Amino acid sequence: MKRIFSGVKPTGHLTLGNYLGAVRRWVEVDQHRSDSLFSVVDLHALTVEHDPARVRRLSRQAATLLLAAGLDPKLCTLFVQSHVDEHARLSYLLECTATDGELRRMIQYKEKGARALAAGEGVRLSLLTYPVLMAADILAYGTDEVPVGEDQTQHVELTRDLAVRFNQRCGQVFTVPKATHPEVAARVMDLQDPLSKMGKSHENAAGIVYLLDDEDTVRRKVMRAVTDSGTDVAYDREGRPGVANLLNLLAAATGGSPEDLAGAYQSYGALKRDTADALVALLRPVRERHAELAADPGYVDQVLRDGAERARGMARPLVDRAYRAIGLLPAG
Ligand code: TYM
């Protein structure tokens, strides 16, 4: 059976981008067809300026939302990364496999590093080594597939390179994983700035649909989305990024294709109205289930405890094997 691993980091409230690019597929497809693990990767949230209480709150909220979206602990393993020591243990070995040069080439490091500097903050060393920890997350479980949005492609490529390099130098230990992406909405764009990815931590929330936004807020954000000059509705990702983004969202929410949907609209107003309706209908059950689960934190805690125990049992033998393969003397 295929092994699948993916994760979401609690740096902000989960967005429609997280849902359409990753989480919905975990729920609808991945957990049913594989031995899958999904993680709230909290160590990654410490790579940029953070407030400890907020990270703690967002970690619980992310786990609750993943359950609300439909992850079923009977079908998959859901856990918090920092509850399983193997991630950090393996990360060090992979730091001894990766080079400084290949990490400095990572796009997210360049972008987030520049943002931290512009804000007068230091760039944490962990921001540079972050993709190595991500590689450890994936490789610790012998993962075959990593279902992610398009923005994670470069990180999964690095993971593959590290797995191959380690195996060549030290002997076959790691499975070489591959990234998988959804057919539509692999890259959901910001509604106010359709040339940028919809991200959790953008300063301007007007362009970001959060999974916990109420219906009026979702509607308002979609109706105020930046569109392009021109009036006819056409699917052109380069020339008309704002309209293309709305068509992608509508397609993702209704199951159509963005090209076909474009032909059904004469005006931007009608497209926005239908997109807003479709997104409201898509997110309503997730928000309602979240409210129920949030009222029962004991249940969520139990799921995370069980998940961490199962994850530890899977990662431990493989990471031990990597420790021996790289040349470390086994303890007694
Ligand atoms: P994160 O927390 O930024 O995002 C979680 C998942 O959501 C996808 N995603 C998007 N997809 C489409 N459009 C968007 N606008 C959008 N924004 C986010 C991401 O591609 C991702 O699949 N480095 C990862 C977390 C991570 C991880 C891992 C993932 C850590 N270790 C191991 C997979 C395997 C991240 O920052 O995701």
Side-chain angles (χ1 to χ4, degrees):
M1 203 181 203
K2 275 209 162 64
R3 176 66 58 83
I4 286 188
F5 181 96
S6 201
V8 60
K9 65 181 185 308
T11 39
H13 298 287
L14 262 60
T15 70
L16 184 62
N18 297 133
Y19 185 67
L20 294 178
V23 176
R24 185 165 70 155
R25 255 183 336 137
W26 304 351
V27 168
E28 291 179 0
V29 185
D30 298 324
Q31 67 173 347
H32 298 284
R33 71 176 174 100
S34 66
D35 179 5
S36 50
L37 297 110
F38 302 105
S39 184
V40 176
V41 285
D42 53 350
L43 296 173
H44 290 280
L46 311 183
T47 55
V48 287
E49 276 294 307
H50 78 286
D51 166 18
R54 183 163 187 267
V55 168
R56 218 172 284 129
R57 213 168 43 242
L58 288 173
S59 296
R60 179 186 292 281
Q61 187 192 75
T64 309
L65 264 171
L66 294 181
L67 290 169
L71 284 187
D72 179 349
K74 290 202 249 357
L75 298 175
C76 68
T77 301
L78 173 64
F79 69 103
V80 173
Q81 180 194 33
S82 65
H83 296 175
V84 179
D85 294 341
E86 269 46 53
H87 296 245
R89 268 183 86 214
L90 179 56
S91 187
Y92 181 71
L93 299 198
L94 296 177
E95 280 183 23
C96 302
T97 309
T99 66
D100 174 70
E102 64 193 343
L103 290 174
R104 287 188 195 280
R105 278 199 295 278
M106 295 289 121
I107 296 163
Q108 293 207 352
Y109 170 69
K110 290 189 201 164
E111 286 177 358
K112 290 184 182 166
R115 230 180 288 155
L117 285 176
E121 297 159 1
V123 179
R124 295 186 180 178
L125 181 57
S126 55
L127 188 68
L128 179 64
T129 56
Y130 169 125
V132 175
L133 178 59
M134 175 162 165
D137 300 338
I138 296 167
L139 298 180
Y141 297 95
T143 302
D144 300 290
E145 286 182 18
V146 189
V148 282
E150 245 170 46
D151 61 319
Q152 297 301 318
T153 307
Q154 196 186 29
H155 292 158
V156 180
E157 283 302 314
L158 175 76
T159 304
R160 290 168 59 84
D161 290 347
L162 297 182
V164 169
R165 195 177 306 154
F166 187 101
N167 288 345
Q168 276 167 355
R169 283 187 195 154
C170 305
Q172 183 67 33
V173 174
F174 297 123
T175 304
V176 181
K178 69 166 202 266
T180 62
H181 306 294
E183 275 171 37
V184 252
R187 191 171 182 84
V188 174
M189 308 310 277
D190 188 286
L191 295 173
Q192 289 298 315
D193 175 12
L195 295 176
S196 303
K197 181 188 80 165
M198 184 185 284
K200 294 184 206 88
S201 36
H202 210 280
E203 308 80 57
N204 181 6
I208 307 167
V209 175
Y210 293 105
L211 298 187
L212 291 179
D213 277 346
D214 62 43
E215 299 195 357
D216 287 348
T217 306
V218 173
R219 230 176 263 288
R220 193 176 59 244
K221 286 177 176 175
V222 175
M223 294 310 290
R224 291 189 186 161
V226 167
T227 39
D228 315 288
S229 56
T231 46
D232 61 319
V233 178
Y235 185 67
D236 173 3
R237 280 185 79 162
E238 309 248 300
R240 309 255 187 107
V243 172
N245 193 33
L246 290 172
L247 287 165
N248 277 331
L249 292 175
L250 182 62
T254 60
S257 92
E259 290 87 354
D260 292 347
L261 286 168
Y265 288 93
Q266 263 75 51
S267 77
Y268 292 167
L271 171 63
K272 285 181 175 177
R273 258 192 311 279
D274 283 3
T275 305
D277 285 345
L279 292 178
V280 162
L282 182 75
L283 298 182
R284 186 182 298 128
V286 178
R287 212 182 48 248
E288 288 175 356
R289 184 78 184 118
H290 175 269
E292 287 167 21
L293 286 166
D296 188 3
Y299 169 72
V300 178
D301 284 347
Q302 187 60 47
V303 168
L304 295 177
R305 244 194 320 274
D306 293 348
E309 199 177 314
R310 235 176 322 166
R312 257 180 240 124
M314 288 187 236
R316 186 81 204 222
L318 208 153
V319 175
D320 281 350
R321 204 137 55 81
Y323 264 69
R324 286 194 296 276
I326 207 169
L328 299 168
L329 190 65

